[in-house]
């Protein structure tokens, strides 16, 4: 399936994903689709696990939307994989927060090889127990137990979004949830995506001049071009030592996505 | 033996502060208060962060005492990234109402 170029990411988008570990898109789904999905989830009385897309087939339209496929092709290549694993996360009213964690074991991937798609069929407000992510933590090799003494972290981002939003998050990004103090269920469908083969060339809307912008010491992390984003962005204000390590990993990621293997 | 009401006695309040560097003057990146109140749990929130201190030094000025400094003896690796910031644990002994 071809994807209209308008849905592919820009160089700056790709650089921001490498730096922050997330990218959000509000999909323009057909009228009534979000409401229909939410209504079915509201009344579902068991968790079908991977079969959630069989039980609520409209969810396939999220996976097939050109803005979704545009992100997947841009970051995982034209032959990206939609894994069979998916899960409905229903956060019940008056349920507590969930502590920070990285999924799976403490062995991190410093490439862009797999990430999650978190789809929200309703508006998500701060009191509904939104997912909360910590930008830039996806390259940290940190056992979840070591996060047990953290609560709020400067620069954390609650995924407070409009209905129909899908948040693409690097698999290793630190994440948790706030408590749901509202009277409604908070629905999120998690999808898992992977890379099938290494890039041999950029798969997004790449401008060959992208990395030629001079370093802008005045804008620094406010700059909007790929070169300065990769160089200066420091979303949670980590130390100079960590920031220099991040820069190296970012450049390695960028080069891999460009098809320039070391 | 007389029974003493614990709410009238000084009890240990804790602060886990994660600073940008091991210096007490560097910015705080993580803030976790632990109050000696039954059922108290700190929570990740989805609202704007409003912390009373910007640095460990600010907390010291306000009467907090450091009871554990960050561990710096871990094997040095200048490539790998692990946890965010450097953990200071502080305490204040105060009478805390339930």
């Amino acid at each position: 399936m071809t994807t209209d170029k308008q849905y592919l990411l820009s160089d700056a988008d790709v650089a921001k994903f490498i730096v922050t570990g997330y990218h959000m898109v509000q999909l323009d789904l057909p009228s009534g689709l979000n409401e229909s999905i939410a209504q079915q989830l509201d009344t579902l009385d068991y968790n079908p696990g991977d079969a959630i897309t069989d039980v609520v087939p409209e969810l396939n339209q999220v996976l097939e939307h050109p803005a979704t496929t545009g992100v997947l092709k841009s970051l995982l290549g034209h032959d990206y994989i939609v894994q069979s694993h998916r899960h409905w996360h229903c956060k019940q009213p008056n349920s507590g927060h969930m502590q920070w964690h990285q999924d799976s074991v403490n062995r991190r991937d410093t490439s862009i090889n797999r990430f999650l798609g978190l789809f929200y069929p309703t508006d998500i407000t701060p009191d509904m127990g939104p997912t909360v992510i910590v930008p830039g933590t996806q390259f940290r090799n940190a056992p979840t137990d070591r996060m047990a003494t953290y609560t709020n972290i400067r620069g954390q981002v609650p995924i407070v979004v409009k209905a129909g939003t899908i948040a693409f998050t690097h698999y290793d990004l630190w994440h948790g949830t706030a408590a749901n103090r509202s009277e409604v269920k908070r629905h999120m469908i998690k999808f898992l995506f992977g890379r099938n083969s290494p890039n041999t060339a950029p798969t997004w809307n790449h401008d060959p001049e992208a990395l030629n912008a001079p370093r802008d010491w005045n804008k620094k992390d406010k700059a909007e071009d790929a070169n300065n984003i990769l160089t200066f962005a420091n979303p949670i204000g980590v130390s100079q030592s960590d920031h220099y390590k991040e820069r190296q990993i970012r450049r390695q990621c960028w080069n891999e996505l460009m098809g320039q293997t070391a | 033996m007389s029974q003493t009401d614990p709410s009238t006695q000084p009890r240990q309040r804790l602060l886990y502060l994660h600073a940008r560097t091991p210096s007490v003057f560097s910015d705080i990146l993580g803030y976790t208060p632990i109050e000696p109140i039954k059922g108290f749990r700190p929570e990740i929130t989805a609202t704007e962060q409003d912390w009373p201190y910007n640095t460990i030094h600010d907390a010291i000025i306000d009467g907090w005492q450091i009871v554990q400094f960050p561990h710096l003896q871990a094997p040095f690796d200048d490539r790998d990234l692990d946890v965010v910031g450097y953990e200071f644990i502080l305490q204040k002994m105060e009478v805390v109402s339930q």
Side-chain angles (χ1 to χ4, degrees):
Chain A
M1 185 170 64
T2 57
T3 298
D4 192 317
K5 280 194 74 173
Q6 67 167 305
Y7 292 107
L8 296 176
L9 299 186
S10 67
D11 290 296
D13 292 334
V14 171
K16 282 180 186 169
F17 183 85
I18 291 172
V19 166
T20 64
Y22 75 96
H23 180 82
M24 297 195 213
V25 182
Q26 188 182 354
L27 304 175
D28 55 340
L29 292 164
S31 176
L33 192 85
N34 284 316
E35 291 81 356
S36 171
I37 292 171
Q39 203 169 35
Q40 292 175 69
L41 295 175
D42 267 337
T43 55
L44 199 55
D45 60 1
Y46 71 105
N47 196 323
D50 291 350
I52 186 66
T53 38
D54 298 328
V55 175
V56 186
E58 289 97 326
L59 285 167
N60 287 303
Q61 294 188 48
V62 173
L63 295 173
E64 293 160 0
H65 192 285
T68 299
T69 61
V71 172
L72 297 175
K73 287 181 178 177
S74 295
L75 295 172
L76 294 172
H78 294 295
D79 56 349
Y80 67 84
I81 300 165
V82 179
Q83 305 280 2
S84 59
H85 174 60
R86 62 248 354 225
H87 198 79
W88 167 43
H89 290 260
C90 178
K91 194 158 182 64
Q92 297 287 342
N94 300 309
S95 58
H97 85 135
M98 179 189 278
Q99 187 49 259
W100 299 116
H101 59 282
Q102 286 177 311
D103 288 343
S104 193
V105 295
N106 179 38
R107 187 172 181 178
R108 301 299 152 199
D109 183 357
T110 53
S111 297
I112 307 296
N113 286 335
R114 62 176 174 168
F115 51 78
L116 304 175
L118 313 177
F119 175 71
Y120 301 89
T122 67
D123 288 355
I124 302 293
T125 55
D127 63 338
M128 283 172 67
T131 311
V132 187
I133 54 178
V134 190
T137 48
Q138 67 275 16
F139 300 134
R140 293 182 177 271
N141 195 23
T144 292
D145 284 3
R146 289 285 307 276
M147 304 175 198
T149 55
Y150 294 80
T151 311
N152 289 299
I153 298 174
R154 183 84 68 202
Q156 67 193 38
V157 174
I159 303 184
V160 173
V161 290
K162 291 292 184 190
T165 297
I166 183 165
F168 299 95
T169 62
H170 191 286
Y171 191 79
D172 296 328
L173 195 65
W174 291 23
H175 58 284
T177 61
N180 185 353
R181 304 278 186 230
S182 76
E183 300 298 316
V184 297
K185 297 175 181 175
R186 187 229 63 183
H187 301 296
M188 181 266 279
I189 309 296
K190 180 181 76 181
F191 298 103
L192 179 61
F193 308 107
R195 173 179 296 283
N196 193 44
S197 60
N199 277 10
T200 54
T203 55
W204 62 94
N205 279 327
H206 174 57
D207 175 357
E209 297 295 316
L211 288 192
N212 291 340
R215 289 191 178 186
D216 189 335
W217 295 91
N218 296 305
K219 286 186 179 170
K220 293 188 75 173
D221 61 346
K222 302 290 186 298
E224 286 292 322
D225 67 277
N227 195 33
N228 281 289
I229 291 167
L230 292 170
T231 301
F232 290 117
N234 188 353
I236 61 170
V238 298
S239 67
Q240 186 188 63
S241 301
D242 277 8
H243 182 53
Y244 285 167
K245 292 179 204 175
E246 287 177 342
R247 278 189 188 177
Q248 288 187 346
I249 295 170
R250 293 170 187 174
R251 292 289 168 172
Q252 173 196 318
C253 277
W254 177 270
N255 290 339
E256 285 175 2
L257 292 177
M258 289 289 291
Q260 300 163 351
T261 49
Chain B
M1 192 172 72
S2 64
Q3 288 277 336
T4 307
D5 179 357
S7 69
T8 64
Q9 303 301 307
R11 287 180 290 170
Q12 187 182 37
R13 304 176 67 201
L14 291 173
L15 265 187
Y16 285 75
L17 299 182
H18 294 90
R20 183 169 178 264
T21 79
S23 165
V24 296
F25 299 108
S26 71
D27 294 337
I28 293 170
L29 303 179
Y31 184 88
T32 299
I34 309 287
E35 298 296 355
I37 297 172
K38 192 173 176 61
F40 176 87
R41 294 285 184 278
E43 281 191 354
I44 294 172
T45 62
T47 49
E48 192 74 23
Q49 301 302 307
D50 184 18
W51 300 341
Y53 312 121
N54 291 321
T55 65
I56 308 293
H57 191 248
D58 287 347
I60 293 171
I61 291 169
D62 198 33
W64 291 89
Q65 295 179 313
I66 299 172
V67 293
Q68 183 169 295
F69 287 86
H71 292 286
L72 300 176
Q73 66 271 45
F76 182 76
D77 184 332
D78 207 19
R79 292 163 298 158
D80 204 11
L81 289 154
D82 46 46
V83 295
V84 171
Y86 293 83
E87 183 175 271
F88 289 79
I89 306 175
L90 299 90
Q91 74 163 6
K92 205 185 227 188
M93 298 300 294
E94 284 188 317
V95 175
V96 176
S97 56
Q98 290 287 355

